[in-house]
Amino acid sequence: MISYMGNTNPTHRSLQRARALVVFGLVLTVLSSVGLILIRDIPGTTQPPPVVFHTPMPTLALPDITATSPRQAMISRGVVAPTFPPQTATPTPELTQTALPTIAWTDAEKNALSWLCWYEVRGMGDVVADACLSVISTVRARYAYNSGFGTNDVISTILAEGQFTGVEIDTSQPASSELYWLAEIYANGARGSCTGYFYFDSVPGGPSLCVIRSSNGQFIEFHNGWK
């Protein structure tokens, strides 16, 4: 018996499948195009936003920042800065340097003189140096020139009874380095503005022959005795 099963040639079957795939692809392409047109025409359909590429901002050069002083800041806020009157320095009396021989005082004597100045004139502000040199001069005048006080050195003159009352001295150390320095420069010829007197005090209306006044209102006056 003879059976007919159609054309079984492999080449023929491959060509048929290729034609079918091409036709199927063309159909899909047409359907896709039609679908896009329909979607675009439907009202309310949101289109995707366009892609935007941002350009970087250019770098700006900032101005230099200068610190503002407190006074400038007050003015810029409308506050008037306080003004202060110019400070006038009080002139310091010149200390005279004379051509006198150096006085051979010991460290103990210069320490004692520094304590005398500490008790008598340390509060006289801008004229402490002048007042201290002038006070030292009274000690020198009492014992060095046969003045009748009965002493012959610094320490015995300062400690004499009834003379420099209330003064306590320490011969082992100075009252301060500044006051010790004043005793040293006196020994080397420096003098104050009131020199060579025997007494001093700060009693108004006394027998004043020479006065030293400080800017804080204190004063010290020198004389040679009450008459």
Side-chain angles (χ1 to χ4, degrees):
M1 179 181 293
I2 299 173
S3 176
Y4 296 94
M5 297 181 65
N7 193 353
T8 59
N9 187 342
T11 302
H12 180 71
R13 286 196 297 272
S14 298
L15 290 174
Q16 286 180 337
R17 284 196 295 271
R19 292 191 186 97
L21 289 172
V22 171
V23 171
F24 182 72
L26 292 173
V27 171
L28 285 177
T29 301
V30 172
L31 291 176
S32 298
S33 301
V34 172
L36 289 174
I37 294 172
L38 292 175
I39 291 173
R40 187 180 296 113
D41 292 339
I42 296 174
T45 302
T46 303
Q47 299 296 324
V51 178
V52 179
F53 296 95
H54 294 281
T55 302
M57 292 293 293
T59 302
L60 300 179
L62 297 177
D64 293 335
I65 299 175
T66 303
T68 303
S69 67
R71 180 179 175 83
Q72 290 173 328
M74 293 176 70
I75 294 174
S76 66
R77 291 195 297 269
V79 180
V80 178
T83 58
F84 300 94
Q87 299 295 317
T88 303
T90 302
T92 301
E94 293 185 3
L95 307 179
T96 59
Q97 187 79 23
T98 59
L100 296 176
T102 300
I103 303 171
W105 281 333
T106 64
D107 285 341
E109 289 176 314
K110 287 182 281 190
N111 287 338
L113 290 168
S114 74
W115 284 105
L116 177 63
C117 288
W118 171 264
Y119 280 98
E120 301 292 0
V121 299
R122 72 179 184 271
M124 294 196 65
D126 53 327
V127 294
V128 165
D130 188 17
C132 179
L133 291 173
S134 299
V135 165
I136 290 174
S137 178
T138 65
V139 176
R140 178 71 173 168
R142 290 186 187 194
Y143 81 83
Y145 301 108
N146 298 318
S147 304
F149 284 84
T151 58
N152 56 13
D153 63 86
V154 168
I155 295 174
S156 63
T157 302
I158 295 176
L159 297 179
E161 186 177 356
Q163 298 302 308
F164 298 98
T165 56
V167 174
E168 297 180 4
I169 63 174
D170 183 352
T171 59
S172 66
Q173 62 181 345
S176 72
S177 58
E178 292 81 6
L179 296 177
Y180 181 89
W181 174 76
L182 289 171
E184 277 199 322
I185 66 171
Y186 186 99
N188 286 278
R191 295 293 183 267
S193 57
C194 295
T195 188
Y197 298 98
F198 294 142
Y199 303 100
F200 61 85
D201 60 62
S202 298
V203 180
S208 174
L209 298 176
C210 186
V211 181
I212 298 174
R213 300 183 185 277
S214 70
S215 59
N216 60 20
Q218 296 189 35
F219 73 94
I220 184 170
E221 59 185 13
F222 296 82
H223 57 91
N224 285 330
W226 290 263
K227 295 180 181 180

